[in-house]
Amino acid sequence: MEQGSAREGARPAYTPGVFPHAPGNAARVPQDRVPEQARGRHGEEEGARGEHTHSEPPAPRAVRRHSVRGQILDALRAALVDGELVPGQVYSAPALGARFGVSATPVREAMQRLAVEGAVEVVPNRGFRVTERGPHELAELAEVRALIEVPVMLSLARTVPAHRWSVLRPLAEATVAAAAVGDRAAYAESDRAFHRAVLTLSGNEQLVSIADELHRRSQWPLVAGPATRRAELLADAAEHTALLDALIAQDLTVVQALVREHFTGADG
């Protein structure tokens, strides 16, 4: 369900569609938003690090947040979910930086964050390789998520009043809207936002953080995995609204069945 075969809070407004690959289409981050240490000495700095381009990186989407690193991190996460950063391929920070119109420094910092999350691995003197994942890893993530979220949601279904669940309706509807246009990256973000909102009602911040990290990992594309079809996204999104209805009705049997199906379906 969670797009394993194929983003915290609202998704930034990116240009629709995949990254444009023509160099002339690369969006540039305004220089007054680029930290001083990230400007200038571009070629000199990267030449010293010895990084080389091994795969043609995608051009960026438009980014709007104040932190350059945050903008790049959001865009790279979107590219991972969309499969635009290909599992097994190596991408250099200088080449990606050129596409974004910034120094390689914020790109490298964002990639290092992704390495901590397990999305990429550092290749010394070359760049970053997108992690290759298989169905077995996805199944393990689904199992762990179910162990965490099923008992929590069953407990919440017994105690949370209906009006508090109703407040989450727009979040469930956001997943349907993203699925309707086949936007996998927007669906991934709205999917996580819905699950975070549900688990937040437990009052356990550590649980929410761990579950969200597992959820994110389940959304990275599989090696050579087929792109998620719009019909599959719509079916997954429908499970959100059905789950919300079951939680409001305190139907524990349906809640348990829906959550397990949600994790073990075609998209994790």
Side-chain angles (χ1 to χ4, degrees):
M1 116 109 192
E2 320 303 343
Q3 274 205 287
S5 63
R7 233 167 255 269
E8 307 132 283
R11 178 190 181 202
Y14 298 115
T15 303
V18 299
F19 285 172
H21 291 276
N25 289 336
R28 298 188 63 85
V29 177
Q31 289 299 299
D32 61 350
R33 294 186 180 182
V34 180
E36 182 178 352
Q37 63 270 26
R39 299 199 296 267
R41 300 185 295 107
H42 187 177
E44 175 186 25
E45 174 189 57
E46 305 318 327
R49 293 181 180 269
E51 294 183 357
H52 306 282
T53 304
H54 287 258
S55 299
E56 183 66 13
R61 301 165 187 258
V63 285
R64 297 183 178 179
R65 286 166 58 178
H66 293 295
S67 165
V68 175
R69 176 196 167 194
Q71 295 178 65
I72 302 303
L73 181 59
D74 285 340
L76 291 173
R77 282 172 170 166
L80 281 167
V81 172
D82 282 338
E84 296 166 14
L85 292 177
V86 181
Q89 293 293 320
V90 177
Y91 298 90
S92 74
L96 287 170
R99 293 282 178 168
F100 282 103
V102 299
S103 160
T105 300
V107 177
R108 186 179 294 105
E109 291 173 348
M111 278 293 202
Q112 288 169 344
R113 172 59 187 171
L114 291 175
V116 171
E117 296 176 358
V120 301
E121 59 183 359
V122 178
V123 182
N125 298 320
R126 295 176 62 195
F128 303 86
R129 178 183 290 114
V130 179
T131 302
E132 300 183 80
R133 305 167 57 244
H136 180 68
E137 181 181 348
L138 184 61
E140 289 180 334
L141 286 167
E143 181 180 2
V144 176
R145 290 189 61 208
L147 288 171
I148 294 174
E149 296 196 33
V150 170
V152 173
M153 289 193 187
L154 289 175
S155 176
L156 292 173
R158 297 185 184 98
T159 58
V160 175
H163 73 273
R164 296 193 67 185
W165 291 122
S166 299
V167 174
L168 305 188
R169 185 73 64 181
L171 295 177
E173 292 173 348
T175 68
V176 176
V181 296
D183 190 332
R184 288 177 290 167
Y187 179 83
E189 287 191 352
S190 58
D191 182 19
R192 289 204 329 278
F194 175 79
H195 280 263
R196 279 199 309 273
V198 171
L199 296 178
T200 295
L201 293 175
S202 70
N204 189 327
E205 295 182 3
Q206 297 303 314
L207 181 149
V208 175
S209 177
I210 292 171
D212 190 58
E213 181 62 23
L214 290 169
H215 195 165
R216 185 191 297 283
R217 293 174 66 91
S218 74
Q219 295 173 331
W220 302 333
L222 294 170
V223 176
T228 308
R229 294 176 299 179
R230 184 180 303 182
E232 294 170 333
L233 290 180
L234 284 169
D236 291 338
E239 291 176 355
H240 290 133
T241 55
L243 174 59
L244 202 54
D245 290 338
L247 288 167
I248 291 173
Q250 295 186 320
D251 191 330
L252 304 187
T253 300
V254 174
V255 168
Q256 180 167 331
L258 280 172
V259 177
R260 290 192 179 279
E261 172 63 24
H262 204 50
F263 292 159
T264 59
D267 295 310

